Amino acid sequence: MNYQTYQPRPELEALINFYWTLEVPFDPNNPKQKIIPDGFVEMTFNFGNPIKRYISDSEFVLHPCAMVMGQRTKSYYIEPMGDVDTFAICFYPYGFANFVNAPLKSLVDKETPQENLFGLQPARELEQKMVQATTTQDRIAIIEAFLLKKLSNPSTIDQIVRTTIDVLLESKGSPAIRKILKDDLSKRRQLERKFAKQVGISPKQLGKVIRLQSALKMLLNTEDDKLTTIAYENEYFDQAHFIKDFKEFTGINPSEFLGNENMALSTLFYK
């Protein structure tokens, strides 16, 4: 697997976390890969063969070649039908809402064709330019020109949403929402509504995903693999709480994650 990341230009770095590319030669013996929620919205272009997303053990849908993957609340399996050649834009949780009118709640756990969000002609023209580009830097320039043209005023993202997300990211998802709101619980319903529109999921759901990401990185990148240590470092109540949340999102226990051939792709993203 050849996985690379690239940083956006300064005008977009407040909204885009990074760009990434992935190239994987086809091997019929490669197992299906499980994708885990990560708290980000991604806009992807597939230049390789079609990719299946399984909706049951045997049923699947094909990813659109140019799509937006909204917030994920559960993991799922994918399986390439040939060579993988993907370019993607990874938006911060509040980033993508600046470029579309659709509420992000409508994108949750779905692969939405870009034409549904940007219009048929603009989306097809963008996809054609991306396909014809010969280098990653050319593709970055194309997508940045497209996004800068569409960019609305970043102030359209409510400050309460931005502040909440910033605190969750900085604290690895651990603070309770009442702590973020400084016990002003009257704002909670308002925050929930704004999160549904501008992020897609609730503050609590996003916090759980961000905390899981932190625990995953620690599990994969530290010598101390004791689950109790990882649980307390990420402010879970105890090891049992950590295992429960981990299994909720991945379908397996933390001890089963390491070395699991179905998790090879997810592991790559967190190292």
Side-chain angles (χ1 to χ4, degrees):
M1 295 184 187
N2 181 14
Y3 172 67
Q4 303 289 334
T5 62
Y6 305 85
Q7 294 304 305
R9 63 195 293 175
E11 298 95 317
L12 292 167
E13 63 184 6
L15 304 175
I16 295 174
N17 190 8
F18 56 84
Y19 307 107
W20 60 263
T21 60
L22 178 66
E23 297 176 346
V24 185
F26 180 64
D27 183 342
N29 296 316
N30 282 344
K32 293 185 290 187
Q33 294 296 308
K34 180 170 277 192
I35 303 300
I36 299 170
D38 61 7
F40 298 103
V41 175
E42 292 188 323
M43 180 176 170
T44 68
F45 297 86
N46 177 24
F47 309 114
N49 294 96
I51 297 174
K52 301 176 182 177
R53 177 174 69 85
Y54 282 85
I55 55 178
S56 70
D57 289 341
S58 58
E59 297 176 300
F60 62 86
V61 295
L62 294 179
H63 277 178
C65 291
M67 69 177 192
V68 172
M69 184 71 219
Q71 289 285 350
R72 296 182 284 271
T73 64
K74 53 192 174 185
S75 57
Y76 57 90
Y77 284 103
I78 64 170
E79 183 179 24
M81 299 175 66
D83 292 341
V84 173
D85 183 3
T86 299
F87 176 93
I89 306 97
C90 179
F91 294 89
Y92 284 112
Y94 52 72
F96 190 65
N98 289 274
F99 303 98
V100 294
N101 294 322
L104 265 65
K105 186 176 182 180
S106 66
L107 308 183
V108 174
D109 289 323
K110 296 178 184 175
E111 301 88 2
T112 302
Q114 291 178 22
E115 62 189 46
N116 291 7
L117 298 170
F118 302 126
L120 181 60
Q121 193 63 29
R124 287 188 176 177
E125 288 177 0
L126 174 63
E127 184 179 3
Q128 186 177 31
K129 289 179 181 178
M130 295 291 283
V131 169
Q132 292 173 347
T134 57
T135 69
T136 298
Q137 292 304 325
D138 287 342
R139 286 172 175 163
I140 291 174
I142 291 167
I143 198 63
E144 289 190 332
F146 176 82
L147 292 175
L148 285 169
K149 186 176 180 180
K150 291 197 67 66
L151 186 62
S152 58
N153 189 336
S155 65
T156 58
I157 298 299
D158 290 277
Q159 189 60 41
I160 189 174
V161 173
R162 187 185 298 272
T163 300
T164 301
I165 292 173
D166 287 345
V167 171
L168 287 172
L169 290 171
E170 289 171 8
S171 62
K172 302 176 183 177
S174 59
I177 298 304
R178 63 178 179 274
K179 181 177 179 181
I180 295 174
L181 297 179
K182 296 182 173 57
D183 293 324
D184 188 353
L185 298 183
S186 65
K187 294 182 180 178
R188 183 160 188 156
R189 288 186 179 179
Q190 179 187 22
L191 183 64
E192 295 274 353
R193 289 195 299 271
K194 290 180 177 180
F195 253 70
K197 181 177 186 296
Q198 299 172 9
V199 179
I201 56 179
S202 71
K204 183 177 180 180
Q205 286 176 305
L206 181 62
K208 289 179 71 172
V209 171
I210 292 171
R211 182 162 54 175
L212 173 67
Q213 298 306 306
S214 175
L216 270 175
K217 289 178 182 178
M218 190 173 177
L219 183 65
L220 292 167
N221 297 299
T222 63
E223 294 182 3
D224 188 348
D225 60 353
K226 293 181 180 178
L227 298 186
T228 301
T229 301
I230 295 173
Y232 287 130
E233 283 287 329
N234 290 281
E235 298 193 28
Y236 289 95
F237 296 128
D238 51 27
Q239 180 177 319
H241 180 208
F242 169 47
I243 293 173
K244 178 178 178 292
D245 271 19
F246 194 97
K247 194 168 184 179
E248 176 186 340
F249 284 108
T250 68
I252 59 175
N253 294 322
S255 58
E256 298 173 307
F257 181 83
L258 296 174
N260 188 316
E261 61 180 8
N262 297 116
M263 297 293 184
L265 182 58
S266 290
T267 299
L268 183 70
F269 289 150
Y270 302 121
K271 286 190 172 180

